[in-house]
């Protein structure tokens, strides 16, 4: 994260200690990022707004998760509801292809290495399941600036990933955007901008694909939007 300078080191330390118990960052192992439900933070008494609570429930209950720098495929043709998720976005990029019959998700750091994973491992999985995926839709979930939502944070790398997904699938990807919550709530000196944010409930980027199963129904993409991420950090008194 490139947000903070040395001037706010004291505030930044306190912020990071809180965030480390809340987020699973793109470069971390998501399996070790559980939030401590017994935290004594005074902000934890704030009740989540219904949209956030429902999204968090769906993410927690997803049948399969893709972690950072991984990719995977989930088959939707068998009977029963399916849910396929990836979480903890803090600058990474997410790529997905979904149809009535299955879904493919990749979650990568915005690096040359991550791009190589897309063009090798992700591509290989797509080719393996192309018959089931080729009539689907493609999405890219990408980090934008908190105060300029039209600008990618990684201006050079993001278009390369989008072009890569386009070349692999032959589809025109739909772009879904997210921000890093602390970039909205804190200034460059790690000082709160709009009051003390609710760090305990602050949401990182994430998305999931749902399908009712059976191979004949459309899949649905559900994602943490910019609006949801901003609202998740609202102080109690806002």
């Amino acid at each position: 994260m490139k947000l903070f300078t040395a001037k706010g080191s004291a505030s930044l330390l306190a912020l990071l200690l809180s965030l480390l118990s809340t987020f699973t960052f793109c470069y971390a192992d998501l399996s070790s990022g559980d939030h401590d439900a017994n935290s004594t933070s005074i902000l934890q008494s704030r009740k989540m707004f219904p949209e956030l609570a429902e999204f968090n429930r769906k993410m927690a209950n997803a049948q399969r998760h893709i972690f950072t720098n991984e990719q995977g495929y989930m088959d939707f043709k068998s009977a029963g509801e399916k849910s396929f998720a990836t979480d903890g976005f803090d600058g990474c990029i997410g790529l997905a292809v979904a149809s009535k019959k299955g879904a493919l998700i990749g979650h990568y750091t915005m690096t040359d290495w991550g791009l190589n994973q897309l063009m090798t491992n992700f591509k290989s999985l797509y080719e393996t399941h192309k018959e089931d995926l080729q009539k689907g839709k493609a999405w890219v979930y990408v980090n934008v600036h908190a105060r300029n939502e039209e600008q990618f944070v990684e201006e050079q790398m993001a278009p390369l990933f989008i072009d890569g997904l386009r070349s692999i699938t032959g589809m025109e990807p739909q772009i879904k955007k997210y921000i890093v919550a602390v970039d909205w709530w804190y200034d460059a000196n790690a000082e709160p901008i709009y009051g003390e944010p609710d760090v305990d409930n602050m949401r990182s980027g994430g998305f999931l694909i749902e399908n009712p199963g059976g191979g004949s129904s459309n899949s649905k993409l559900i994602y943490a939007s910019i609006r949801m991420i901003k609202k998740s950090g609202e102080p109690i008194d806002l």
Side-chain angles (χ1 to χ4, degrees), residues 162-182:
I162 295 169
D163 288 345
L165 184 60
R166 184 186 294 117
S167 70
I168 290 168
T169 64
M171 304 174 191
E172 187 57 40
Q174 298 181 30
I175 308 301
K176 303 300 182 183
K177 302 174 181 178
Y178 76 93
I179 62 169
V180 175
V182 293

Side-chain angles (χ1 to χ4, degrees), residues 93-96 138-142 161-162 165 173-177:
I93 191 164
L95 307 106
W139 294 279
V140 175
Y141 189 60
V142 62
F161 279 87
I162 295 169
L165 184 60
Q174 298 181 30
I175 308 301
K176 303 300 182 183
K177 302 174 181 178

Side-chain angles (χ1 to χ4, degrees), residues 126-157:
Y126 179 80
E127 292 296 332
T128 299
H129 301 283
K130 185 174 182 178
E131 184 176 348
D132 287 341
L133 291 172
Q134 60 187 351
K135 293 183 179 180
K137 295 181 179 179
W139 294 279
V140 175
Y141 189 60
V142 62
N143 186 203
V144 296
H145 285 281
R147 303 187 192 285
N148 182 2
E149 297 172 12
E150 299 305 312
Q151 184 179 4
F152 298 136
V153 171
E154 296 289 345
E155 292 182 273
Q156 294 183 334
M157 293 302 297

